Short mmCIF file of all heavy atoms in Angstrom, two decimals:
data_model
loop_
_atom_site.label_atom_id
_atom_site.label_comp_id
_atom_site.label_asym_id
_atom_site.label_seq_id
_atom_site.Cartn_x
_atom_site.Cartn_y
_atom_site.Cartn_z
N GLY W 17 -7.85 -12.25 -12.22
CA GLY W 17 -7.95 -13.42 -11.38
C GLY W 17 -8.31 -13.01 -9.93
O GLY W 17 -8.41 -11.87 -9.65
N ASN W 18 -8.48 -14.00 -9.14
CA ASN W 18 -8.76 -13.75 -7.69
C ASN W 18 -7.51 -13.07 -7.10
O ASN W 18 -6.44 -13.17 -7.64
CB ASN W 18 -9.06 -15.02 -6.94
CG ASN W 18 -10.42 -15.59 -7.16
OD1 ASN W 18 -10.82 -16.57 -6.63
ND2 ASN W 18 -11.20 -14.93 -8.04
N PRO W 19 -7.70 -12.34 -5.95
CA PRO W 19 -6.53 -11.73 -5.31
C PRO W 19 -5.48 -12.82 -4.92
O PRO W 19 -5.86 -13.93 -4.61
CB PRO W 19 -7.12 -11.10 -4.06
CG PRO W 19 -8.57 -10.87 -4.41
CD PRO W 19 -8.93 -12.02 -5.25
N ASN W 20 -4.24 -12.42 -4.97
CA ASN W 20 -3.14 -13.23 -4.48
C ASN W 20 -2.95 -14.59 -5.22
O ASN W 20 -2.45 -15.55 -4.70
CB ASN W 20 -3.34 -13.56 -2.99
CG ASN W 20 -2.04 -13.70 -2.25
OD1 ASN W 20 -1.03 -13.04 -2.61
ND2 ASN W 20 -1.92 -14.57 -1.32
N THR W 21 -3.31 -14.58 -6.50
CA THR W 21 -3.16 -15.86 -7.27
C THR W 21 -1.90 -15.78 -8.08
O THR W 21 -1.55 -16.75 -8.82
CB THR W 21 -4.36 -16.08 -8.21
OG1 THR W 21 -4.57 -14.86 -8.94
CG2 THR W 21 -5.59 -16.43 -7.46
N GLY W 22 -1.17 -14.66 -8.10
CA GLY W 22 0.09 -14.58 -8.84
C GLY W 22 -0.02 -13.82 -10.14
O GLY W 22 0.83 -14.00 -10.98
N LYS W 23 -1.02 -12.91 -10.26
CA LYS W 23 -1.14 -12.14 -11.47
C LYS W 23 0.07 -11.25 -11.75
O LYS W 23 0.65 -11.17 -12.81
CB LYS W 23 -2.42 -11.28 -11.47
CG LYS W 23 -3.67 -12.02 -11.32
CD LYS W 23 -4.87 -11.14 -11.11
CE LYS W 23 -4.80 -10.37 -9.78
NZ LYS W 23 -4.84 -11.25 -8.61
N SER W 24 0.44 -10.51 -10.68
CA SER W 24 1.63 -9.59 -10.88
C SER W 24 2.90 -10.34 -11.11
O SER W 24 3.72 -9.97 -11.86
CB SER W 24 1.74 -8.65 -9.69
OG SER W 24 0.47 -7.96 -9.51
N SER W 25 3.05 -11.50 -10.44
CA SER W 25 4.23 -12.30 -10.65
C SER W 25 4.29 -12.79 -12.19
O SER W 25 5.30 -12.74 -12.77
CB SER W 25 4.21 -13.59 -9.78
OG SER W 25 4.04 -13.21 -8.43
N LEU W 26 3.11 -13.17 -12.63
CA LEU W 26 3.02 -13.59 -13.99
C LEU W 26 3.31 -12.46 -14.98
O LEU W 26 4.01 -12.60 -15.98
CB LEU W 26 1.66 -14.23 -14.27
CG LEU W 26 1.49 -15.18 -15.46
CD1 LEU W 26 2.38 -16.38 -15.28
CD2 LEU W 26 0.08 -15.62 -15.60
N ARG W 36 4.50 -4.65 -8.31
CA ARG W 36 4.78 -5.07 -6.87
C ARG W 36 4.08 -6.38 -6.62
O ARG W 36 2.94 -6.67 -7.00
CB ARG W 36 4.16 -4.05 -5.95
CG ARG W 36 5.22 -3.49 -5.02
CD ARG W 36 4.58 -2.51 -4.10
NE ARG W 36 4.07 -3.20 -2.98
CZ ARG W 36 3.28 -2.61 -2.06
NH1 ARG W 36 2.87 -1.41 -2.23
NH2 ARG W 36 2.91 -3.31 -1.00
N VAL W 37 4.82 -7.27 -5.93
CA VAL W 37 4.35 -8.60 -5.60
C VAL W 37 4.34 -8.71 -4.05
O VAL W 37 5.27 -8.24 -3.41
CB VAL W 37 5.22 -9.67 -6.26
CG1 VAL W 37 4.88 -11.06 -5.70
CG2 VAL W 37 5.04 -9.62 -7.74
N GLY W 38 3.39 -9.39 -3.48
CA GLY W 38 3.40 -9.63 -2.08
C GLY W 38 2.40 -10.72 -1.72
O GLY W 38 1.43 -10.96 -2.50
N ASN W 39 2.63 -11.33 -0.59
CA ASN W 39 1.77 -12.52 -0.24
C ASN W 39 0.62 -12.11 0.65
O ASN W 39 0.51 -12.49 1.81
CB ASN W 39 2.62 -13.57 0.41
CG ASN W 39 1.84 -14.85 0.68
OD1 ASN W 39 0.82 -15.04 0.09
ND2 ASN W 39 2.43 -15.68 1.51
N TYR W 40 -0.23 -11.25 0.13
CA TYR W 40 -1.53 -10.97 0.82
C TYR W 40 -2.50 -10.39 -0.22
O TYR W 40 -2.01 -9.86 -1.26
CB TYR W 40 -1.38 -10.01 2.01
CG TYR W 40 -0.87 -8.65 1.61
CD1 TYR W 40 -1.70 -7.59 1.32
CD2 TYR W 40 0.52 -8.38 1.66
CE1 TYR W 40 -1.19 -6.31 1.06
CE2 TYR W 40 1.04 -7.10 1.36
CZ TYR W 40 0.18 -6.06 1.08
OH TYR W 40 0.67 -4.84 0.77
N PRO W 41 -3.82 -10.58 -0.06
CA PRO W 41 -4.73 -10.11 -1.11
C PRO W 41 -4.73 -8.58 -1.09
O PRO W 41 -4.70 -7.95 -0.02
CB PRO W 41 -6.08 -10.67 -0.59
CG PRO W 41 -5.92 -11.05 0.83
CD PRO W 41 -4.47 -11.29 1.00
N GLY W 42 -4.73 -8.02 -2.30
CA GLY W 42 -4.88 -6.60 -2.45
C GLY W 42 -3.53 -5.83 -2.55
O GLY W 42 -3.49 -4.69 -2.17
N VAL W 43 -2.52 -6.51 -3.11
CA VAL W 43 -1.27 -5.76 -3.34
C VAL W 43 -1.37 -4.83 -4.55
O VAL W 43 -1.02 -3.64 -4.41
CB VAL W 43 -0.14 -6.79 -3.66
CG1 VAL W 43 1.19 -6.05 -3.89
CG2 VAL W 43 0.02 -7.75 -2.47
N THR W 44 -1.96 -5.26 -5.61
CA THR W 44 -2.15 -4.42 -6.75
C THR W 44 -3.50 -3.67 -6.60
O THR W 44 -4.52 -4.35 -6.41
CB THR W 44 -2.13 -5.25 -8.04
OG1 THR W 44 -1.03 -6.10 -8.01
CG2 THR W 44 -2.11 -4.37 -9.23
N VAL W 45 -3.50 -2.37 -6.74
CA VAL W 45 -4.76 -1.63 -6.60
C VAL W 45 -5.03 -0.79 -7.80
O VAL W 45 -6.10 -0.14 -7.89
CB VAL W 45 -4.85 -0.75 -5.35
CG1 VAL W 45 -4.84 -1.67 -4.10
CG2 VAL W 45 -3.62 0.20 -5.22
N ASP W 66 -1.79 -5.59 -16.10
CA ASP W 66 -1.99 -6.27 -14.78
C ASP W 66 -3.06 -5.55 -14.02
O ASP W 66 -3.13 -4.31 -14.00
CB ASP W 66 -0.65 -6.17 -13.97
CG ASP W 66 -0.68 -6.90 -12.65
OD1 ASP W 66 -1.50 -7.82 -12.55
OD2 ASP W 66 0.04 -6.53 -11.72
N LEU W 67 -4.00 -6.37 -13.47
CA LEU W 67 -5.16 -5.76 -12.79
C LEU W 67 -5.20 -6.15 -11.32
O LEU W 67 -4.62 -7.14 -10.91
CB LEU W 67 -6.47 -6.26 -13.46
CG LEU W 67 -6.63 -5.75 -14.96
CD1 LEU W 67 -7.87 -6.42 -15.52
CD2 LEU W 67 -6.75 -4.28 -14.95
N PRO W 68 -5.94 -5.35 -10.48
CA PRO W 68 -6.14 -5.76 -9.15
C PRO W 68 -6.99 -7.02 -9.12
O PRO W 68 -7.77 -7.32 -10.03
CB PRO W 68 -6.97 -4.65 -8.56
CG PRO W 68 -6.74 -3.48 -9.45
CD PRO W 68 -6.51 -4.06 -10.84
N GLY W 69 -6.76 -7.87 -8.10
CA GLY W 69 -7.52 -9.07 -7.96
C GLY W 69 -8.95 -8.84 -7.56
O GLY W 69 -9.30 -7.86 -6.89
N THR W 70 -9.92 -9.78 -8.02
CA THR W 70 -11.23 -9.60 -7.62
C THR W 70 -11.88 -11.02 -7.53
O THR W 70 -11.46 -11.90 -8.26
CB THR W 70 -12.00 -8.67 -8.62
OG1 THR W 70 -13.36 -8.64 -8.23
CG2 THR W 70 -11.94 -9.16 -10.04
N ILE W 103 -6.15 -15.96 -14.43
CA ILE W 103 -5.19 -16.74 -13.61
C ILE W 103 -5.97 -17.41 -12.49
O ILE W 103 -6.61 -16.77 -11.72
CB ILE W 103 -4.09 -15.78 -13.06
CG1 ILE W 103 -3.16 -15.32 -14.17
CG2 ILE W 103 -3.19 -16.53 -11.97
CD1 ILE W 103 -3.48 -14.06 -14.69
N ASN W 131 -2.16 -21.37 -12.17
CA ASN W 131 -0.88 -20.98 -11.51
C ASN W 131 -0.74 -21.72 -10.10
O ASN W 131 -1.67 -22.46 -9.74
CB ASN W 131 -0.88 -19.47 -11.30
CG ASN W 131 0.48 -18.95 -10.91
OD1 ASN W 131 1.42 -19.44 -11.44
ND2 ASN W 131 0.48 -17.93 -10.10
N MET W 132 0.39 -21.56 -9.48
CA MET W 132 0.69 -22.23 -8.20
C MET W 132 0.73 -23.70 -8.45
O MET W 132 0.47 -24.49 -7.49
CB MET W 132 -0.38 -21.93 -7.18
CG MET W 132 -0.63 -20.46 -6.89
SD MET W 132 0.45 -19.83 -5.66
CE MET W 132 -0.07 -18.16 -5.64
N TRP W 133 1.04 -24.14 -9.61
CA TRP W 133 1.11 -25.54 -9.96
C TRP W 133 2.04 -26.28 -9.03
O TRP W 133 1.80 -27.41 -8.68
CB TRP W 133 1.54 -25.64 -11.39
CG TRP W 133 1.40 -27.03 -11.93
CD1 TRP W 133 2.40 -27.91 -12.29
CD2 TRP W 133 0.12 -27.72 -12.21
NE1 TRP W 133 1.85 -29.07 -12.77
CE2 TRP W 133 0.49 -28.98 -12.73
CE3 TRP W 133 -1.17 -27.36 -12.15
CZ2 TRP W 133 -0.51 -29.93 -13.14
CZ3 TRP W 133 -2.14 -28.31 -12.51
CH2 TRP W 133 -1.77 -29.56 -13.01
N ASP W 134 3.15 -25.62 -8.64
CA ASP W 134 4.13 -26.27 -7.73
C ASP W 134 3.57 -26.58 -6.38
O ASP W 134 4.11 -27.42 -5.64
CB ASP W 134 5.39 -25.40 -7.62
CG ASP W 134 5.00 -23.95 -7.20
OD1 ASP W 134 4.15 -23.31 -7.90
OD2 ASP W 134 5.55 -23.55 -6.15
N ARG W 135 2.52 -25.85 -5.92
CA ARG W 135 2.05 -26.08 -4.60
C ARG W 135 0.99 -27.22 -4.49
O ARG W 135 0.68 -27.67 -3.45
CB ARG W 135 1.34 -24.82 -4.11
CG ARG W 135 2.37 -23.75 -3.62
CD ARG W 135 1.70 -22.59 -2.98
NE ARG W 135 0.70 -23.00 -2.05
CZ ARG W 135 -0.40 -22.30 -1.72
NH1 ARG W 135 -0.61 -21.16 -2.28
NH2 ARG W 135 -1.23 -22.76 -0.81
N LYS W 138 2.15 -30.39 -2.58
CA LYS W 138 2.34 -30.11 -1.17
C LYS W 138 1.00 -30.07 -0.51
O LYS W 138 0.84 -30.39 0.69
CB LYS W 138 3.03 -28.75 -0.91
CG LYS W 138 4.54 -28.90 -0.98
CD LYS W 138 5.24 -27.50 -0.67
CE LYS W 138 6.20 -27.24 -1.71
NZ LYS W 138 6.31 -25.78 -2.00
N THR W 159 1.23 -23.16 -14.89
CA THR W 159 2.33 -22.26 -14.64
C THR W 159 2.75 -22.22 -13.21
O THR W 159 1.92 -22.54 -12.26
CB THR W 159 2.01 -20.83 -15.08
OG1 THR W 159 0.92 -20.38 -14.29
CG2 THR W 159 1.74 -20.73 -16.52
N SER W 160 3.97 -21.82 -12.95
CA SER W 160 4.39 -21.43 -11.58
C SER W 160 5.14 -20.08 -11.74
O SER W 160 6.32 -20.03 -12.00
CB SER W 160 5.40 -22.44 -11.03
OG SER W 160 4.79 -23.57 -10.63
N ALA W 161 4.33 -19.04 -11.64
CA ALA W 161 4.81 -17.70 -11.99
C ALA W 161 6.06 -17.34 -11.22
O ALA W 161 7.02 -16.82 -11.78
CB ALA W 161 3.76 -16.70 -11.82
N SER W 162 6.07 -17.62 -9.90
CA SER W 162 7.20 -17.17 -9.11
C SER W 162 8.51 -17.91 -9.46
O SER W 162 9.55 -17.45 -9.22
CB SER W 162 6.82 -17.27 -7.64
OG SER W 162 6.55 -18.59 -7.33
N LYS W 163 8.34 -19.13 -9.93
CA LYS W 163 9.51 -19.95 -10.30
C LYS W 163 9.79 -19.86 -11.82
O LYS W 163 10.63 -20.57 -12.32
CB LYS W 163 9.30 -21.40 -9.95
CG LYS W 163 9.04 -21.58 -8.45
CD LYS W 163 9.21 -23.09 -8.07
CE LYS W 163 9.42 -23.26 -6.62
NZ LYS W 163 8.31 -22.71 -5.74
N GLU W 393 5.85 -8.53 3.98
CA GLU W 393 4.78 -8.62 2.99
C GLU W 393 4.77 -9.92 2.23
O GLU W 393 3.71 -10.38 1.81
CB GLU W 393 4.97 -7.45 1.99
CG GLU W 393 4.50 -6.10 2.47
CD GLU W 393 4.77 -5.03 1.49
OE1 GLU W 393 5.46 -5.27 0.43
OE2 GLU W 393 4.24 -3.98 1.64
N ASP W 394 5.90 -10.47 1.99
CA ASP W 394 5.98 -11.66 1.18
C ASP W 394 5.90 -13.00 1.95
O ASP W 394 5.77 -14.03 1.31
CB ASP W 394 7.23 -11.67 0.23
CG ASP W 394 6.97 -12.46 -1.04
OD1 ASP W 394 5.86 -12.39 -1.50
OD2 ASP W 394 7.88 -13.11 -1.44
N CYS W 395 5.95 -12.92 3.29
CA CYS W 395 5.88 -14.22 4.01
C CYS W 395 4.46 -14.56 4.42
O CYS W 395 4.20 -15.70 4.79
CB CYS W 395 6.78 -14.16 5.21
SG CYS W 395 6.15 -13.18 6.57
N LYS W 527 4.82 -18.57 3.63
CA LYS W 527 5.84 -19.19 2.80
C LYS W 527 7.10 -18.39 3.03
O LYS W 527 7.12 -17.31 3.59
CB LYS W 527 5.42 -19.15 1.35
CG LYS W 527 5.27 -17.70 0.85
CD LYS W 527 5.30 -17.76 -0.66
CE LYS W 527 5.65 -16.40 -1.15
NZ LYS W 527 6.45 -16.18 -2.21
N TRP W 528 8.24 -18.95 2.50
CA TRP W 528 9.51 -18.24 2.57
C TRP W 528 9.45 -17.08 1.62
O TRP W 528 9.05 -17.25 0.48
CB TRP W 528 10.70 -19.12 2.27
CG TRP W 528 10.97 -20.05 3.43
CD1 TRP W 528 10.75 -21.40 3.45
CD2 TRP W 528 11.60 -19.67 4.68
NE1 TRP W 528 11.10 -21.90 4.68
CE2 TRP W 528 11.62 -20.90 5.42
CE3 TRP W 528 12.04 -18.51 5.25
CZ2 TRP W 528 12.12 -20.91 6.73
CZ3 TRP W 528 12.55 -18.53 6.52
CH2 TRP W 528 12.58 -19.75 7.22
N SER W 530 10.40 -14.60 -1.22
CA SER W 530 11.25 -14.87 -2.37
C SER W 530 12.31 -13.82 -2.55
O SER W 530 12.02 -12.64 -2.37
CB SER W 530 10.39 -14.91 -3.62
OG SER W 530 10.70 -13.93 -4.59
N VAL W 533 11.60 -11.04 -5.05
CA VAL W 533 10.55 -10.07 -4.68
C VAL W 533 11.16 -9.05 -3.72
O VAL W 533 10.96 -7.86 -3.86
CB VAL W 533 9.36 -10.79 -4.08
CG1 VAL W 533 8.46 -9.77 -3.42
CG2 VAL W 533 8.65 -11.59 -5.11
N1 LIG K 1 4.43 -21.20 -4.76
C1 LIG K 1 4.09 -20.32 -5.66
N2 LIG K 1 3.95 -19.04 -5.27
C2 LIG K 1 3.62 -18.11 -6.20
C3 LIG K 1 3.37 -18.43 -7.54
N3 LIG K 1 3.02 -17.32 -8.22
C4 LIG K 1 3.05 -16.35 -7.30
N4 LIG K 1 3.40 -16.81 -6.10
C5 LIG K 1 3.44 -16.02 -4.83
O1 LIG K 1 2.12 -15.66 -4.53
C6 LIG K 1 2.09 -14.36 -3.91
C7 LIG K 1 1.19 -13.40 -4.62
O2 LIG K 1 1.72 -13.05 -5.84
P1 LIG K 1 1.25 -11.70 -6.63
O3 LIG K 1 1.86 -11.81 -7.97
O4 LIG K 1 1.47 -10.55 -5.82
O5 LIG K 1 -0.34 -11.98 -6.73
P2 LIG K 1 -1.42 -11.01 -7.36
O6 LIG K 1 -2.45 -11.98 -7.97
O7 LIG K 1 -0.85 -9.99 -8.22
O8 LIG K 1 -2.09 -10.46 -6.04
P3 LIG K 1 -2.97 -9.16 -5.84
O9 LIG K 1 -2.29 -8.02 -6.61
O10 LIG K 1 -2.99 -8.87 -4.42
O11 LIG K 1 -4.33 -9.50 -6.36
C8 LIG K 1 3.54 -13.93 -3.89
O12 LIG K 1 4.09 -14.15 -2.63
C9 LIG K 1 4.22 -14.75 -5.01
O13 LIG K 1 5.61 -14.87 -4.76
C10 LIG K 1 3.51 -19.85 -7.95
O14 LIG K 1 3.37 -20.22 -9.10
N5 LIG K 1 3.95 -20.69 -6.97
#
Side-chain angles (χ1 to χ4, degrees):
Chain W
N18 283 183
N20 211 34
T21 50
K23 298 174 295 298
S24 302
S25 307
L26 200 62
R36 240 183 85 192
V37 169
N39 187 15
Y40 62 92
V43 178
T44 311
V45 292
D66 182 26
L67 294 174
T70 177
I103 290 98
N131 198 34
M132 306 271 181
W133 190 251
D134 54 304
R135 282 187 48 207
K138 274 184 232 147
T159 60
S160 286
S162 59
K163 300 193 162 60
E393 282 179 347
D394 206 37
C395 73
K527 64 164 201 135
W528 285 107
S530 119
V533 169

